Amino acid sequence: MKIGIYGGTFNPPHLGHLAAARAAIRSLELDRLLLMPAAVPPHKELPSGSPPAGDRLAMTAKLADALLMPKTVQVSTLEMDRPGPSYTADTVETIRRQEPEAELWLLVGSDMFLSLHTWREPERILKCVSVCAFHRTQGDEAERFAAQKARLERDYGARVEMIPVPGLVEISSTRLRELLARGEGQEYLHPSVYGYILLHRLYGTHADLRHLELPELRACSYAMMKEKRVAHVQGVEEEAARLARRWGADETLARRAGILHDCTKYLDLEEQLALCGQYGVELDELERQAVKLLHSKTGACIARAVFGEPDEVYWAIFWHTTAKADMTTLEKILYVADYMEPNRDFEGVERLRALAYEDLDRALLLGVETTIQEMEERQVPIHTNTLAARDWLTAHGVTVEI
Ligand code: DGI
Ligand code: FE
Ligand code: FE
């Protein structure tokens, strides 16, 4: 069992951390990687304007999720939960006690590595762990790294590996925080971390959430979901944009609806019901029980109330799960795009994809009929609006074979 321990203030976690974590997992063949935000770094106070520990923890969890290896990558609150300063010697001894048989690797960036001998009780640290130092693939670090490796090996009998991180982002956290306060720096952050910063107005950002450009809107939406759903949401956005061009709808509105359509997918039933109450959405009996039917309604509410989206976007999101009778073109587009975006894979999806560009109503009906059939097979109650969508289309002469 190989465990990597990657500590830091993560203030904020950025693409450099992400690239390093990925490289460590691959090079060291880690079974587990612990991302460990420090409570109070021993060598300095956190700079003023730093977010509370809870926000650094949440951002670090986003970074962990971004690696898409939930079994391997975990966030550890060991240091945050311990009162007082976070000394690495204490941390690694605790983990050594918990995992006596494991091969422990302490992961460190270049500045940390080069100063490791000055940390508190390096001998205690290096008795418990091997050291993995990240270095850039370009630049002049090689000599200093080799000298430091030799020193740690000689003075402490340490085991040191140096791993090159391709494309390691050259950004200091101090500089990144300055950029963020000026409304810049997005290119150094994973989108969901950036979205979290915008949504919570960290680091002096003050984005007007009601008038976001598309990249910021994407970031905020992705921050509200798990990383594994992001590809689907990107697929829906692109498919909705293509369909909007094909069928003469507003492409930007189609994109915005696609970006936000599943933004509340990860709220639980209680949270969904609370939002419906707050925004006055009336629910029928089935909706009050089937949590999957609620995210379209609450997503619409958040799109309008938080992100200032117009009615067209509100209603497209509102109806994207069940459909309904007599839909607008944008509503049809989002429903169909959600059904057949490139990541969807089910029997008949190719036919639906082709039909969507030939006859939008027939594609819609095919989607609705497919849902009805699936619900019947799974013996799940079919929502009245789903049935109403089918009846309306059929009554208007739309036909499709399923
Ligand atoms: O959010 P997505 O997964 O991208 O897709 P979606 O918004 O169409 O949600 C699909 C889920 O909604 C799926 O788990 C089944 C559920 N659903 C859709 N129509 C009905 C339904 N559930 C019930 N009970 N009745 C329906 O008519
Ligand atoms: Fe959905
Ligand atoms: Fe969806």
Side-chain angles (χ1 to χ4, degrees), residues 9 40-47 174 177:
T9 51
V40 182
H43 48 292
K44 59 180 177 197
E45 291 291 304
L46 281 187
T174 311
R177 289 191 297 270

mmCIF file of all heavy atoms in Angstrom, residues 9 40-47 174 177:
data_model
loop_
_atom_site.group_PDB
_atom_site.id
_atom_site.type_symbol
_atom_site.label_atom_id
_atom_site.label_comp_id
_atom_site.label_asym_id
_atom_site.label_seq_id
_atom_site.Cartn_x
_atom_site.Cartn_y
_atom_site.Cartn_z
ATOM 1 N N THR A 9 -1.302 24.944 2.128
ATOM 2 C CA THR A 9 -2.423 25.775 2.576
ATOM 3 C C THR A 9 -3.567 25.709 1.564
ATOM 4 O O THR A 9 -4.698 25.992 1.890
ATOM 5 C CB THR A 9 -1.993 27.244 2.771
ATOM 6 O OG1 THR A 9 -1.324 27.682 1.586
ATOM 7 C CG2 THR A 9 -1.070 27.381 3.954
ATOM 8 N N VAL A 40 -3.033 26.013 10.279
ATOM 9 C CA VAL A 40 -2.227 27.237 10.318
ATOM 10 C C VAL A 40 -0.826 26.808 9.923
ATOM 11 O O VAL A 40 -0.233 25.979 10.599
ATOM 12 C CB VAL A 40 -2.185 27.838 11.736
ATOM 13 C CG1 VAL A 40 -1.379 29.119 11.736
ATOM 14 C CG2 VAL A 40 -3.592 28.065 12.256
ATOM 15 N N PRO A 41 -0.302 27.336 8.839
ATOM 16 C CA PRO A 41 1.034 26.879 8.458
ATOM 17 C C PRO A 41 2.047 27.306 9.509
ATOM 18 O O PRO A 41 1.972 28.417 10.019
ATOM 19 C CB PRO A 41 1.295 27.582 7.126
ATOM 20 C CG PRO A 41 0.310 28.697 7.051
ATOM 21 C CD PRO A 41 -0.836 28.349 7.947
ATOM 22 N N PRO A 42 2.975 26.416 9.872
ATOM 23 C CA PRO A 42 3.896 26.731 10.948
ATOM 24 C C PRO A 42 4.815 27.895 10.640
ATOM 25 O O PRO A 42 5.216 28.612 11.547
ATOM 26 C CB PRO A 42 4.696 25.441 11.128
ATOM 27 C CG PRO A 42 4.348 24.548 10.015
ATOM 28 C CD PRO A 42 3.145 25.076 9.323
ATOM 29 N N HIS A 43 5.157 28.092 9.370
ATOM 30 C CA HIS A 43 6.171 29.102 9.057
ATOM 31 C C HIS A 43 5.585 30.486 8.841
ATOM 32 O O HIS A 43 6.296 31.452 8.737
ATOM 33 C CB HIS A 43 6.979 28.672 7.834
ATOM 34 C CG HIS A 43 6.129 28.210 6.695
ATOM 35 N ND1 HIS A 43 5.389 27.051 6.758
ATOM 36 C CD2 HIS A 43 5.871 28.744 5.492
ATOM 37 C CE1 HIS A 43 4.715 26.888 5.622
ATOM 38 N NE2 HIS A 43 4.991 27.904 4.852
ATOM 39 N N LYS A 44 4.262 30.603 8.750
ATOM 40 C CA LYS A 44 3.705 31.933 8.534
ATOM 41 C C LYS A 44 2.223 31.943 8.863
ATOM 42 O O LYS A 44 1.554 30.908 8.868
ATOM 43 C CB LYS A 44 3.899 32.357 7.074
ATOM 44 C CG LYS A 44 3.256 31.404 6.098
ATOM 45 C CD LYS A 44 3.461 31.839 4.659
ATOM 46 C CE LYS A 44 2.858 30.798 3.730
ATOM 47 N NZ LYS A 44 3.294 30.855 2.368
ATOM 48 N N GLU A 45 1.731 33.137 9.152
ATOM 49 C CA GLU A 45 0.291 33.320 9.282
ATOM 50 C C GLU A 45 -0.303 33.291 7.883
ATOM 51 O O GLU A 45 0.357 33.653 6.915
ATOM 52 C CB GLU A 45 0.005 34.686 9.920
ATOM 53 C CG GLU A 45 0.423 34.793 11.373
ATOM 54 C CD GLU A 45 -0.440 33.930 12.278
ATOM 55 O OE1 GLU A 45 -1.665 34.109 12.254
ATOM 56 O OE2 GLU A 45 0.109 33.067 12.973
ATOM 57 N N LEU A 46 -1.570 32.886 7.771
ATOM 58 C CA LEU A 46 -2.221 33.004 6.470
ATOM 59 C C LEU A 46 -2.368 34.477 6.153
ATOM 60 O O LEU A 46 -2.651 35.287 7.033
ATOM 61 C CB LEU A 46 -3.610 32.350 6.511
ATOM 62 C CG LEU A 46 -3.675 30.832 6.398
ATOM 63 C CD1 LEU A 46 -5.120 30.386 6.287
ATOM 64 C CD2 LEU A 46 -2.887 30.330 5.207
ATOM 65 N N PRO A 47 -2.155 34.867 4.891
ATOM 66 C CA PRO A 47 -2.277 36.282 4.552
ATOM 67 C C PRO A 47 -3.697 36.793 4.825
ATOM 68 O O PRO A 47 -4.650 36.012 4.777
ATOM 69 C CB PRO A 47 -1.956 36.322 3.062
ATOM 70 C CG PRO A 47 -1.950 34.931 2.587
ATOM 71 C CD PRO A 47 -1.788 34.031 3.764
ATOM 72 N N THR A 174 0.484 33.694 -3.897
ATOM 73 C CA THR A 174 0.383 35.137 -3.623
ATOM 74 C C THR A 174 -0.009 35.887 -4.887
ATOM 75 O O THR A 174 -0.928 36.709 -4.895
ATOM 76 C CB THR A 174 1.752 35.672 -3.136
ATOM 77 O OG1 THR A 174 2.226 34.806 -2.112
ATOM 78 C CG2 THR A 174 1.647 37.082 -2.631
ATOM 79 N N ARG A 177 -3.608 35.159 -5.919
ATOM 80 C CA ARG A 177 -4.610 35.892 -5.134
ATOM 81 C C ARG A 177 -4.702 37.345 -5.595
ATOM 82 O O ARG A 177 -5.786 37.918 -5.653
ATOM 83 C CB ARG A 177 -4.264 35.830 -3.636
ATOM 84 C CG ARG A 177 -4.480 34.447 -3.027
ATOM 85 C CD ARG A 177 -4.395 34.482 -1.502
ATOM 86 N NE ARG A 177 -3.075 34.875 -1.030
ATOM 87 C CZ ARG A 177 -2.078 34.023 -0.779
ATOM 88 N NH1 ARG A 177 -2.258 32.721 -0.942
ATOM 89 N NH2 ARG A 177 -0.911 34.458 -0.363
#
